Amino acid sequence: MQFSRWIFLCLLIPILWVSDHSIAHANAQNKLLILGDSLSAAYGLKQDEGWVSLLQDAFVEKNIQVVNAAISGETTDGGLARLPRLLEQHEPTHLLIELGGNDGLQGHPINKIRSNITTMIEMAQQRDITVYLQQMRIPTNYGRRYTSMFTDSYSELAEQHDIPLIPFFMDDIALDKSLMLPDGIHPALEAQPLIAEFMQNQLEPLILN
């Protein structure tokens, strides 16, 4: 009888933890939707190892729910196409746009990138959703003019729409090969907690302000 009770308790504890976690999500007053690419989609890792999942864990007690809508290979075209359904489905209070890197790597026109991001920002703002824009960067081998125009677009869009520009979370990570996957583009497992901490420090004061 005692053994059976012990087995019951062992099975019940995880269920209670999941239930508490779900209740915390359901009661969260702030819901952050992250619309991103492979840098936020835990590329090459398990989903619970990625920085977005780690950020959610850190935000549980802060009454902030995080919804990860990042997918590998996403462009601003794809993000714009998916955003209306995501807003309807999740009804976020805050939106982080972490897109454009793949556009830049594919040499998409800067004006098209800017137009797509502008439409996403305005779409969210029309629903009274607070928007944050993630600074993005691409390698310098795309030419000084294109690279500069790409990088500057983010600060210009943030200023134009009066929204916070979040510094690129890969700036320091990318300089340390031990924190990068062999492809030299994506952050490794060891980098995920560092990115999560950086993003928490950037986002938490803004969301809870």
Side-chain angles (χ1 to χ4, degrees):
M1 180 64 70
Q2 290 181 348
F3 180 76
S4 299
R5 184 176 300 173
W6 181 82
I7 293 293
F8 173 76
L9 289 174
C10 288
L11 293 172
L12 181 61
I13 289 173
I15 294 174
L16 290 174
W17 184 88
V18 171
S19 297
D20 289 343
H21 202 66
S22 299
I23 291 172
H25 277 190
N27 294 334
Q29 294 179 356
N30 300 290
K31 183 184 290 187
L32 172 66
L33 176 69
I34 297 180
L35 185 64
D37 53 29
S38 56
L39 295 180
S40 299
Y43 177 87
L45 307 170
K46 298 177 181 177
Q47 283 298 310
D48 61 1
E49 295 175 334
W51 72 263
V52 177
S53 180
L54 299 179
L55 180 66
Q56 173 63 93
D57 293 341
F59 274 167
V60 166
E61 296 182 359
K62 304 293 183 179
N63 203 26
I64 302 171
Q65 179 183 354
V66 180
V67 177
N68 192 358
I71 58 176
S72 294
E74 187 66 294
T75 62
T76 59
D77 282 333
L80 178 57
R82 290 195 299 130
L83 187 56
R85 181 175 176 275
L86 290 170
L87 297 182
E88 288 287 344
Q89 178 182 357
H90 299 288
E91 298 183 342
T93 56
H94 300 75
L95 170 67
L96 172 66
I97 300 175
E98 184 269 300
L99 288 173
N102 287 315
D103 300 61
L105 292 175
Q106 296 168 21
H108 290 189
I110 298 297
N111 286 341
K112 183 64 179 299
I113 299 172
R114 291 175 61 102
S115 175
N116 286 343
I117 294 177
T118 292
T119 303
M120 286 187 277
I121 292 171
E122 293 176 347
M123 186 185 300
Q125 288 181 332
Q126 288 171 1
R127 293 171 173 259
D128 294 324
I129 297 170
T130 301
V131 183
Y132 309 125
L133 183 60
Q134 180 78 62
Q135 175 71 65
M136 302 298 290
R137 301 192 193 281
I138 56 174
T140 57
N141 58 335
Y142 284 79
R144 179 179 298 178
R145 182 174 181 274
Y146 184 86
T147 302
S148 178
M149 290 175 60
F150 176 88
T151 303
D152 292 345
S153 291
Y154 288 84
S155 57
E156 291 167 0
L157 285 169
E159 182 177 358
Q160 176 185 343
H161 296 280
D162 192 24
I163 60 175
L165 180 66
I166 308 300
F168 190 40
F169 55 72
M170 291 293 292
D171 276 342
D172 293 331
I173 301 294
L175 299 177
D176 188 341
K177 291 184 178 180
S178 68
L179 297 176
M180 299 293 290
L181 291 177
D183 63 12
I185 298 175
H186 298 95
L189 176 63
E190 294 78 9
Q192 303 301 320
L194 301 177
I195 298 174
E197 181 180 7
F198 175 83
M199 292 301 288
Q200 181 181 0
N201 291 336
Q202 293 291 324
L203 293 170
E204 185 175 319
L206 294 172
I207 295 174
L208 298 181
N209 183 16

